[in-house]
Structures are given as C-alpha cells and as structure tokens.
Amino acid sequence: MWTSPPTTSSAPPPLPQTMTSDLHHVTMETFWREVRSIEEEIDGEEEEEEDEEMKSIDEVELEEAWLMEAGLSSLVTSSLSEEVPPPAEVLLSTLTRQQAATVRRRLDNYSETLKTRNRKPIRDVRDVFTEPNDEPAERCPAPPSPPESPLSQYHTTTKTIRRKAHRVRSTLPTFVFEDQPPEHSSSSTHTLSPTRTHSLCVSWSGQADWLLRDSPYSEGVAEHRRGGTCQDCVRFHGIDGGDVPFVPVAPSQGLVSADDLSPCDLTRLGFISHIELSTFLLALGVQTKRPRPPRRKTRDSGVFAVPLNSLLENDKKKFPEVKVPVVFQKLLCTLEQTGLQTEGILRVPGSAARLKYLRGELDRCCGEFDWSTVRQVEAAGLLKLFIRELPTPLLTHTHLSTYRSVLGVSSVVHQVQALQLLSLLLPEENRETLRALLAFLRKVVSHQDQNRMSLWNVSMVMAPNLFTYSQRGNKRSIAKQREGMEEAVGGAHLVRLMITHQDLLWTVPSFLLSQVRQMNQASNQKQFDLTKAKRRLLRRKNDRNQITELCAGVIRVQAPLHTKVSMAIQLDGQMRAKDIITRFECDHSSSVQHLYEVGGNICERRLHPDCLLLDVYRVNPGCDWLIKP
C-alpha cells in the first residue's frame, strides 16, 4: 500500500541520496502534491476503515478463493450435479505440466489446512490427480533453452518483495527513470553471436512476437529464476527503459482482443489466465499475498461511490451498447476537447470547495448537468475523484496486491507479460473503463509540448489514485519515508508501463486462446458423453470430412441482416475476413460489420479484418461463419 508523507510539513520529505543523481533522479514533488490533495478531501473519514486492510485473509479462505477464481469450484463446494460433469475435469485436462503443478500445490495446501482444523475437504488432491508423481504431459512444447551467452550480464535474478518495518529496504535499481527514452549503447551489439544478431535487431523495434508462442509464459522462465540466460531478457534487454512500446505481431489467424470473445469464452479465458499468472509469478520467484478487502461505503444512486456495474446498468437503459459509464466518458470528452493543451492538466488541483459543489450537482442531476460550466482543472479533479471513490478499485481488491507484486519482477518484458495476464482477469466493466482511461492518458502525453505533462509526470499523478495508500501517522522514521518513496515510484512505474504498452494489455496470447479451444473441445466431448468407441468412429468420420472439405476449400457464410443471407465462398491462401465482408451488400446498415467464427472449439469470436480465413478454418474446421455488427 502506498504511504503518504508527514502532514505536519507542507514540503515533501527529502529524497534519499541514492536517488538524486543529476538527470537520473526521480522527482517526487508531483506525487506528494497529489497525495496531499487527496488527504485534504478525505479529511480523516476513512482512517478507521484502512486499518482493516492490513489484515491478511485466512489461509483456508485464500486457497478457497484461488480455486474458485480458477474455475475449480467443484473441488471446494459440494453443489455438484450428477448429470453435468464437474468443470474441474475439463479444465485440468487442458493444463500444462507447470500449470497443473500449481493447481496441485494449491489444492494440497487447501486440503492439509482443512485437515489441521479437523475438517474434511470436499475432494482430496489424490482424487483429482490420481497419480501425484506422474505429472500430466505438456499440452504445448516448451521453447528450447538458449545456450549460455555473454548476454547473461543483462539479466538479474528476480527478487521477492517482503515488507518488514524494522529493516530499511534498499532502493530498487529498476526504478530510476528519465522523461526521455534511454539511449542504447551501440557497443553492446558487438558481443552478439551471429545467431543472435538478427533477433536483437528485431527487438529494437519492440516487436512482441512472444504473443505468437504456443507455450505459456511460465514455461520459458525457468532459466530466469536460476539467474541464467532468459530468452526474453536477451532479446529485449536493450529497451528495458519501458518507454518504447512493444508492437503486437499479428499471427495469420489475426490478433484477438478480449472484447472479440463471447462471455463464455471470456470466462474460460479468465480461468486459464488466473492459473497461468500464478504459475508465471511462482516461476519468477514472486510470492503474492492477498489482503482482506477494506469496508467502503457504497451508494445505490448518484455518480460517485457507486459500483461500476450499477452505473452501467442504469446507463444501458438509455444506451444499450455502452461499455463505460456515461459520466466517465463525459469527463474524458471534456478534457480532450479543452484540456489537452492546458499546462499542468491533471497535476494542477482545482478548488476543493468548487469540486465539492460540482460533485453534489452531478450526484443530484447527472442527466441534466451543464458540462459547459466545468473548467479543465475541475474536470481533471472530478475524474480522479471518480476513480478514487469507486467502492471497488478500478484494478479490483482481488488483484490490487498482485499488481504490486509485479514490482518484484526484474525484467520489463516479464512485467508487461504479467500486467497483460492481470488485465485479462479484470471484470469487463473495469477492463473497459481502464482502457478508456489509459487511451486518454496517452493523448495527454502526446501533447506534452503544450501541457508540460510527460509520461513520468502523468504516471506520478495517477499512481496514488489507482493504487490506494494508508496513512501511518505524522511521525515516521527515515526507513518509513524511504519505503513510501519506493512505493510511490513503484506505483508510477506500473502506471507508466500500462500507458506505454496498453495495446498489449487487451491482446489474448496465442497459447491462451489455444487452451480455451482445448477446454471447449473437452467440454463438448463431456457434454455428449461419448464412449471411447463412439469417439474413435466419430473422429475417423470427422477426419475424412475435414480432408474433403479442406480440399474443396468451400465455406458457407451466413448474413441474416443483409440482402444476401447466405453465400458459398471458395477459400484460398490470400483471402481475408475483410474480403468476405465486401462481398455482401450492407447499404442499409450504418454500423460496421464483422465476420464471426461461431461454434466448433470456440463459442464465438470476432475475426480481425486482416486474418487469413484458411488458417482459421484449419484450426476450427467445424465452425460456422456469420456476418453481423
């Protein structure tokens, strides 16, 4: 949790000597100014509630919550139906060796903890994993381990963050930033072997080709934890400053965003992402511990302190397609229209009395509110106030501590990968609101020549609003001040990464989508309850049909909202989704049309316009093709 500076003095605490090196020092004044502004608005109302946040969840509750979030509720609850097979069997059949080991470890710890309390678990770990010593085979091959290379000097072993009040924590070398991207020394390229030269040249452009891997992130970091040469650290060590965005590399099947999938597929994606994130952080040596959520006031009406899902439920009565609360969109729109060129936007605080008045007016009559009377600094203050007063933080209580744990990862590439998995775990309303916020913050940074708000300044301002902090008294030791500054810089570092690499946060890696397909396929087999003989015969029949259809290369596209409701199309290696859409007349429709992959081993997926349909067909030959908005 982020700590605030002493309130007895208006000046921020002095920076440690280790963080004041000429141009590389971190300016903390922006952060502390924002913290003091927040303290003035809180005015001591939540001091009693914050003490409860320090308490950790009971170990049984923690393990039970983890298993529930991983889609393994049937292992900890007795509400099972004999007609429907437990979803745990379907999910476990798609896990890799390391992912299955993580589930086994969690379930074993849950069972042992219950036994010490003389409570019998619903299902023992030996019932789920019949042969504990025989780990399931990997569904995806692990990438080959790179040979020992001189580039191991760029790699540092991941450290676990442990908070101890009696010990002064050393400053983290990763958190030394500039407002400009670091200059890369050209001499480092001379140490490369001929086989490494091409891969590093690709890394200078920041191409995130690790999205295309068939193997999970957790399978490629074994060398990282042992302090050896990690493939990702070797390739991307030159841009560890974090200012150069990673460019997603589109596979032939097209990039998949989280909002391209159906709710059913998103649920299963969340199960796999949850297990993979825990496995990934464990492989990196990072331990996470979830605190108990604090009690916060929740309102049923108005704008502020109202849950996001309640706001969206009310907004969808007027705007059915809305994904972000209307008041939040209004605030962003007001700032984009008049505030992007305003110097110090987001940083300069507005009048506290004026903000209190505007808040009351918005709560009273949001639909009839006159936005023309709101100045830029007031809109910025209302935006930050809206984020802070959400009953559930925008990053959620469930994952907020895990976000902080990402600071224990030494490689920027692995930090971005962990943030990507975390973003896919957020509820839809939180994910879409965060996406709108990050897109706006990127626009603010793009106008830094006019508004004097660099990427680092924006990150420093937004960190105390996205990450909660607790006040620990006015008299604090030097160790507490140093810890508070490290946490401030750490929070700003996470915000900075999310702004810079936001396009990757919503992109589904290939291995996750592949595991979702495997889970759907296994679920379909369970649902039809086929015997081994029937499955063998059906597999042979499907194989013959698929070969015949693939040779014919013909698909049938359905478009029920168009004049041409159906069309048989011959596929070739160059045909893309946008080519199919242009063949249908849609003059009467003002909305953008998309081609969807429906059924087979996916519930529903909106295809990227540039994806090659023949490759999609090979992955899911049993799907239907549908054109709709």
Side-chain angles (χ1 to χ4, degrees):
M1 290 179 290
W2 316 125
T3 56
S4 59
T7 57
T8 56
S9 176
S10 59
L15 296 176
Q17 295 298 323
T18 56
M19 300 179 66
T20 58
S21 58
D22 298 334
L23 297 177
H24 296 277
H25 76 279
V26 178
T27 304
M28 305 295 296
E29 177 62 27
T30 300
F31 180 87
W32 296 129
R33 185 187 296 112
E34 185 67 22
V35 169
R36 287 195 295 270
S37 176
I38 295 174
E39 288 177 345
E40 292 175 0
E41 296 174 3
I42 293 177
D43 197 24
E45 294 180 358
E46 298 181 2
E47 291 183 0
E48 297 180 359
E49 299 175 358
E50 289 172 349
D51 294 337
E52 190 175 350
E53 189 176 2
M54 298 296 296
K55 300 178 182 179
S56 299
I57 298 180
D58 181 82
E59 190 170 4
V60 173
E61 296 180 67
L62 180 65
E63 299 297 343
E64 183 173 338
W66 190 94
L67 291 169
M68 296 279 286
E69 292 164 12
L72 303 172
S73 58
S74 59
L75 305 182
V76 294
T77 59
S78 58
S79 58
L80 295 178
S81 174
E82 297 181 357
E83 299 179 357
V84 180
E89 298 179 4
V90 174
L91 178 58
L92 293 175
S93 65
T94 65
L95 301 182
T96 64
R97 178 182 291 114
Q98 291 193 20
Q99 291 172 349
T102 300
V103 175
R104 182 187 294 112
R105 188 181 300 108
R106 289 279 189 169
L107 185 57
D108 185 60
N109 187 33
Y110 172 75
S111 301
E112 292 299 325
T113 307
L114 284 182
K115 289 177 181 178
T116 59
R117 302 184 179 185
N118 296 324
R119 292 172 54 189
K120 185 178 180 181
I122 300 299
R123 297 183 66 181
D124 193 82
V125 64
R126 291 168 293 184
D127 298 332
V128 180
F129 299 95
T130 55
E131 299 180 4
N133 295 328
D134 184 16
E135 295 181 343
E138 292 179 322
R139 296 289 174 182
C140 308
S145 300
E148 291 297 328
S149 166
L151 289 174
S152 59
Q153 60 181 315
Y154 297 106
H155 172 71
T156 56
T157 306
T158 300
K159 301 295 182 183
T160 303
I161 293 181
R162 294 183 176 87
R163 308 187 184 279
K164 295 184 179 180
H166 65 278
R167 181 179 301 176
V168 179
R169 290 168 27 181
S170 59
T171 55
L172 302 178
T174 309
F175 302 152
V176 179
F177 302 106
E178 300 175 77
D179 285 343
Q180 301 297 329
E183 296 181 4
H184 311 302
S185 174
S186 58
S187 61
S188 61
T189 58
H190 298 304
T191 61
L192 292 175
S193 62
T195 57
R196 296 284 186 187
T197 304
H198 175 70
S199 63
L200 186 59
C201 291
V202 176
S203 71
W204 293 124
S205 63
Q207 291 186 357
D209 55 353
W210 32 267
L211 286 171
L212 309 180
R213 290 182 189 163
D214 292 330
S215 58
Y217 299 152
S218 57
E219 300 290 339
V221 294
E223 287 292 334
H224 191 121
R225 187 175 184 181
R226 292 195 290 265
T229 303
C230 177
Q231 187 177 11
D232 287 334
C233 293
V234 167
R235 293 197 57 189
F236 296 101
H237 76 273
I239 53 177
D240 271 4
D243 285 341
V244 180
F246 294 119
V247 180
V249 181
S252 60
Q253 303 170 27
L255 284 174
V256 181
S257 179
D259 56 353
D260 291 335
L261 299 176
S262 65
C264 176
D265 290 324
L266 275 178
T267 301
R268 298 187 175 187
L269 176 68
F271 295 156
I272 300 292
S273 300
H274 178 70
I275 298 174
E276 168 60 17
L277 177 63
S278 299
T279 307
F280 182 56
L281 293 179
L282 187 62
L284 290 171
V286 176
Q287 300 291 335
T288 60
K289 196 168 185 179
R290 182 186 306 176
R292 188 179 299 277
R295 296 178 181 177
R296 302 188 66 176
K297 297 179 180 179
T298 302
R299 301 174 56 193
D300 298 329
S301 60
V303 171
F304 296 90
V306 179
L308 282 177
N309 54 357
S310 299
L311 289 174
L312 283 174
E313 185 178 352
N314 293 330
D315 291 340
K316 286 183 178 180
K317 296 177 181 178
K318 295 182 179 179
F319 312 99
E321 302 298 328
V322 70
K323 294 184 178 181
V324 178
V326 173
V327 64
F328 194 78
Q329 296 184 43
K330 287 284 188 180
L331 289 170
L332 294 180
C333 184
T334 301
L335 288 170
E336 288 181 10
Q337 290 176 352
T338 61
L340 292 180
Q341 289 82 22
T342 303
E343 183 173 349
I345 192 64
L346 296 179
R347 184 180 64 226
V348 178
S351 169
R354 177 67 175 167
L355 287 179
K356 185 176 180 180
Y357 168 76
L358 292 175
R359 171 185 172 171
E361 290 297 308
L362 275 172
D363 281 334
R364 186 177 61 85
C365 55
C366 177
E368 302 175 357
F369 185 77
D370 185 8
W371 290 95
S372 62
T373 61
V374 181
R375 298 183 299 172
Q376 297 93 334
V377 292
E378 295 168 351
L382 291 173
L383 177 71
K384 294 183 289 185
L385 182 64
F386 177 87
I387 296 173
R388 286 197 308 270
E389 294 208 351
L390 287 173
T392 299
L394 191 58
L395 303 179
T396 71
H397 289 303
T398 302
H399 305 299
L400 200 57
S401 61
T402 310
Y403 273 96
R404 300 187 183 108
S405 300
V406 175
L407 297 174
V409 180
S410 62
S411 170
V412 171
V413 179
H414 296 324
Q415 287 180 340
V416 174
Q417 291 171 339
L419 289 175
Q420 180 190 39
L421 294 173
L422 276 167
S423 300
L424 295 176
L425 288 174
L426 294 177
E428 181 181 5
E429 57 270 13
N430 295 67
R431 184 175 63 250
E432 295 297 333
T433 304
L434 178 62
R435 177 187 293 194
L437 175 64
L438 295 179
F440 164 72
L441 296 180
R442 179 162 57 184
K443 293 179 182 178
V444 173
V445 176
S446 67
H447 290 76
Q448 60 180 317
D449 293 339
Q450 293 84 26
N451 57 37
R452 299 293 187 267
M453 291 295 293
S454 65
L455 175 61
W456 182 242
N457 286 333
V458 171
S459 302
M460 274 292 190
V461 170
M462 295 307 301
N465 294 281
L466 287 173
F467 298 95
T468 56
Y469 69 96
S470 64
Q471 187 175 354
R472 300 180 184 178
N474 295 335
K475 297 182 179 180
R476 297 190 303 157
S477 63
I478 297 299
K480 290 291 185 180
Q481 294 182 20
R482 184 187 299 271
E483 181 180 352
M485 282 183 281
E486 288 183 8
E487 292 176 337
V489 178
H493 174 64
L494 293 179
V495 177
R496 173 178 176 164
L497 286 181
M498 288 191 288
I499 295 175
T500 305
H501 308 293
Q502 58 184 275
D503 293 333
L504 287 180
L505 299 184
W506 336 111
T507 305
V508 181
S510 295
F511 74 89
L512 282 181
L513 184 62
S514 177
Q515 287 188 277
V516 170
R517 292 185 185 276
Q518 294 173 15
M519 193 172 177
N520 285 328
Q521 190 170 0
S523 179
N524 292 336
Q525 292 179 354
K526 289 284 185 180
Q527 181 179 0
F528 290 111
D529 192 24
L530 299 175
T531 62
K532 292 183 178 180
K534 290 181 179 179
R535 271 200 296 267
R536 190 181 303 113
L537 293 174
L538 184 59
R539 189 182 304 114
R540 291 176 181 175
K541 181 179 179 181
N542 288 339
D543 291 341
R544 289 195 299 269
N545 292 339
Q546 290 172 14
I547 294 174
T548 303
E549 293 175 2
L550 186 59
C551 293
V554 177
I555 64 171
R556 180 164 294 278
V557 180
Q558 305 290 335
L561 300 180
H562 296 71
T563 55
K564 295 181 180 179
V565 296
S566 179
M567 181 184 296
I569 297 177
Q570 177 80 38
L571 293 180
D572 57 43
Q574 301 300 323
M575 185 168 292
R576 303 179 184 274
K578 59 184 179 183
D579 300 329
I580 300 294
I581 297 176
T582 56
R583 296 195 181 190
F584 287 81
E585 298 179 2
C586 52
D587 297 337
H588 65 281
S589 178
S590 59
S591 59
V592 180
Q593 303 294 303
H594 298 277
L595 181 62
Y596 286 79
E597 167 195 2
V598 183
N601 53 32
I602 203 78
C603 291
E604 184 176 280
R605 172 198 165 196
R606 182 172 57 197
L607 297 177
H608 192 276
D610 292 326
C611 73
L612 295 176
L613 296 184
L614 190 58
D615 291 333
V616 178
Y617 179 76
R618 286 169 177 163
V619 174
N620 190 11
C623 73
D624 296 324
W625 307 84
L626 181 65
I627 291 182
K628 63 178 182 177

